[in-house]
Amino acid sequence: MTARCVVALGANLGDRLAALRSAVSALDGIPGMSVTGCSPVVSTRSVGGPEGSPDYLNAVLELSVELTPEETLRACQKVEQEHGRERTVRWGPRTLDVDIIWFEGVEQQDPNLTLPHPRAHERAFVLVPWSRLDPSAQLGGQLVRDLAKRAPDLEGLSTTDLTLCGHTEGS
């Protein structure tokens, strides 16, 4: 069975744009997973991490998956590891972050994977690119674009015309 899945990408170390583009390619190459849409890239200040962390580049992808949410999580974590991700400081600087935000038809609270993502509704760096990818997207019964307008970190975000793949929609 195929499901739609939304993932957020972020990077604030090294060649951030190259890491995001490479992640799109890596995710698209995983058996049972294909990238069906890419948002434009946004630039944001670090949220919740150590003081003085470098700015992030962020984007949102829509995937078509034939995997379970847990298999999708393992695939995303493998892509992070292949890009040098180290989990030493919570919300610390990283070469690549890949978070599952929403998985069609799934609501779960599990120590390893909560869906939808528990903080997505308040993160402009997720909501703005997601709403640019899919203006009709909803999270928790609310339009993502409306949630984005109320996000506490909206002021620290700037949009770009950069895209990560040829599937960009809604921009």
Side-chain angles (χ1 to χ4, degrees):
M1 186 166 153
T2 302
R4 288 174 46 228
C5 175
V6 172
V7 298
L9 304 178
N12 73 336
L13 294 176
D15 187 338
R16 301 169 302 161
L17 186 58
L20 297 182
R21 286 187 170 140
S22 177
V24 171
S25 179
L27 291 167
D28 199 45
I30 293 170
M33 181 182 292
S34 62
V35 175
T36 57
C38 295
S39 76
V41 175
V42 299
S43 176
T44 62
R45 285 183 252 161
S46 179
V47 174
E51 191 71 31
S53 291
D55 290 349
Y56 278 85
L57 288 184
N58 295 93
V60 169
L61 307 178
E62 183 175 293
L63 308 174
S64 175
V65 295
E66 297 173 1
L67 308 171
T68 67
E70 290 74 19
E71 291 168 333
T72 302
L73 176 63
R74 283 192 295 277
C76 291
Q77 289 174 336
K78 183 176 185 229
V79 170
E80 287 178 335
Q81 290 171 344
E82 290 169 351
H83 286 80
R85 171 72 187 267
E86 294 180 8
R87 295 178 183 274
T88 55
V89 176
R90 184 172 187 195
W91 295 331
R94 57 202 72 172
T95 54
L96 180 66
D97 188 31
V98 182
D99 285 333
I100 301 173
I101 302 303
W102 176 85
F103 199 102
E104 184 176 23
V106 177
E107 288 187 25
Q108 70 181 42
Q109 289 192 347
D110 181 275
N112 294 320
L113 180 61
T114 299
L115 292 168
H117 190 286
R119 290 172 299 284
H121 68 283
E122 60 190 26
R123 299 282 172 87
F125 63 84
V126 170
L127 300 166
V128 170
W130 188 5
S131 67
R132 291 185 71 193
L133 170 63
D134 181 359
S136 64
Q138 292 193 19
L139 181 63
Q142 298 183 60
L143 285 171
V144 169
R145 69 176 181 249
D146 291 340
L147 291 168
K149 293 174 190 173
R150 299 189 299 268
D153 61 325
L154 183 61
E155 186 177 306
L157 181 143
S158 60
T159 59
T160 75
D161 292 325
L162 299 171
T163 58
L164 300 176
C165 64
H167 300 106
T168 302
E169 301 169 12
S171 55

